[in-house]
Amino acid sequence: MFKKLAFFLFACAAGSSYAVSSSETLAQTECRQQCLYDRFECVDQEPRPSNCFAEYSRCIDRCRAIGQ
Protein backbone atom coordinates (compact mmCIF):
# COMPACT_ATOMS: atom_id res chain seq x y z
CA MET A 1 0.00 0.00 0.00
CA PHE A 2 2.78 2.44 0.89
CA LYS A 3 4.68 1.59 -2.29
CA LYS A 4 1.59 2.37 -4.33
CA LEU A 5 1.08 5.67 -2.53
CA ALA A 6 4.74 6.60 -2.97
CA PHE A 7 4.58 5.77 -6.69
CA PHE A 8 1.40 7.79 -7.07
CA LEU A 9 2.98 10.84 -5.43
CA PHE A 10 6.09 10.44 -7.58
CA ALA A 11 3.97 10.18 -10.71
CA CYS A 12 2.03 13.30 -9.74
CA ALA A 13 5.22 15.24 -9.17
CA ALA A 14 6.79 13.98 -12.38
CA GLY A 15 3.63 14.62 -14.34
CA SER A 16 3.25 18.14 -13.04
CA SER A 17 6.80 19.05 -14.06
CA TYR A 18 5.85 18.56 -17.71
CA ALA A 19 2.82 20.83 -17.53
CA VAL A 20 4.63 24.08 -18.15
CA SER A 21 4.43 24.62 -21.90
CA SER A 22 0.73 25.03 -22.71
CA SER A 23 -2.80 24.63 -21.49
CA GLU A 24 -3.23 21.51 -23.65
CA THR A 25 -0.20 19.97 -22.01
CA LEU A 26 -1.61 20.90 -18.62
CA ALA A 27 -4.96 19.34 -19.50
CA GLN A 28 -3.25 16.15 -20.70
CA THR A 29 -1.16 15.97 -17.53
CA GLU A 30 -4.16 16.42 -15.29
CA CYS A 31 -6.03 13.80 -17.29
CA ARG A 32 -3.17 11.30 -16.94
CA GLN A 33 -2.92 11.99 -13.21
CA GLN A 34 -6.62 11.27 -12.86
CA CYS A 35 -6.19 8.04 -14.84
CA LEU A 36 -3.40 6.98 -12.51
CA TYR A 37 -5.46 7.85 -9.44
CA ASP A 38 -8.43 5.87 -10.76
CA ARG A 39 -6.17 2.90 -11.50
CA PHE A 40 -4.80 2.88 -7.95
CA GLU A 41 -8.34 3.00 -6.58
CA CYS A 42 -9.32 0.10 -8.83
CA VAL A 43 -6.31 -2.02 -7.87
CA ASP A 44 -6.93 -1.44 -4.16
CA GLN A 45 -10.45 -2.88 -4.32
CA GLU A 46 -11.11 -6.31 -2.85
CA PRO A 47 -11.60 -8.45 -4.83
CA ARG A 48 -9.58 -6.66 -7.48
CA PRO A 49 -11.48 -6.18 -10.74
CA SER A 50 -9.80 -7.76 -13.75
CA ASN A 51 -10.23 -4.72 -15.99
CA CYS A 52 -8.16 -2.15 -14.04
CA PHE A 53 -5.28 -1.99 -16.49
CA ALA A 54 -7.48 -2.14 -19.58
CA GLU A 55 -9.52 0.79 -18.28
CA TYR A 56 -6.30 2.65 -17.47
CA SER A 57 -5.12 2.17 -21.08
CA ARG A 58 -8.42 3.48 -22.43
CA CYS A 59 -8.20 6.47 -20.11
CA ILE A 60 -4.66 7.28 -21.29
CA ASP A 61 -5.82 7.00 -24.91
CA ARG A 62 -8.58 9.53 -24.18
CA CYS A 63 -5.98 11.83 -22.63
CA ARG A 64 -3.79 11.61 -25.74
CA ALA A 65 -6.74 12.83 -27.81
CA ILE A 66 -6.87 16.12 -25.89
CA GLY A 67 -5.79 18.95 -28.15
CA GLN A 68 -5.68 16.96 -31.37
Side-chain angles (χ1 to χ4, degrees):
M1 176 70 182
F2 290 113
K3 287 181 183 179
K4 291 177 185 177
L5 181 60
F7 179 76
F8 174 73
L9 294 175
F10 170 78
C12 287
S16 65
S17 68
Y18 294 106
V20 191
S21 63
S22 72
S23 62
E24 288 177 2
T25 304
L26 179 60
Q28 284 184 349
T29 301
E30 289 176 351
C31 182
R32 288 173 186 251
Q33 287 175 345
Q34 185 61 46
C35 291
L36 189 61
Y37 179 75
D38 292 344
R39 186 186 70 138
F40 280 124
E41 281 188 350
C42 182
V43 170
D44 283 340
Q45 293 177 14
E46 287 296 330
R48 188 177 97 185
S50 62
N51 66 338
C52 293
F53 295 101
E55 182 57 36
Y56 174 73
S57 294
R58 283 191 292 275
C59 186
I60 291 297
D61 289 341
R62 286 190 300 268
C63 293
R64 286 186 186 127
I66 293 175
Q68 290 184 355

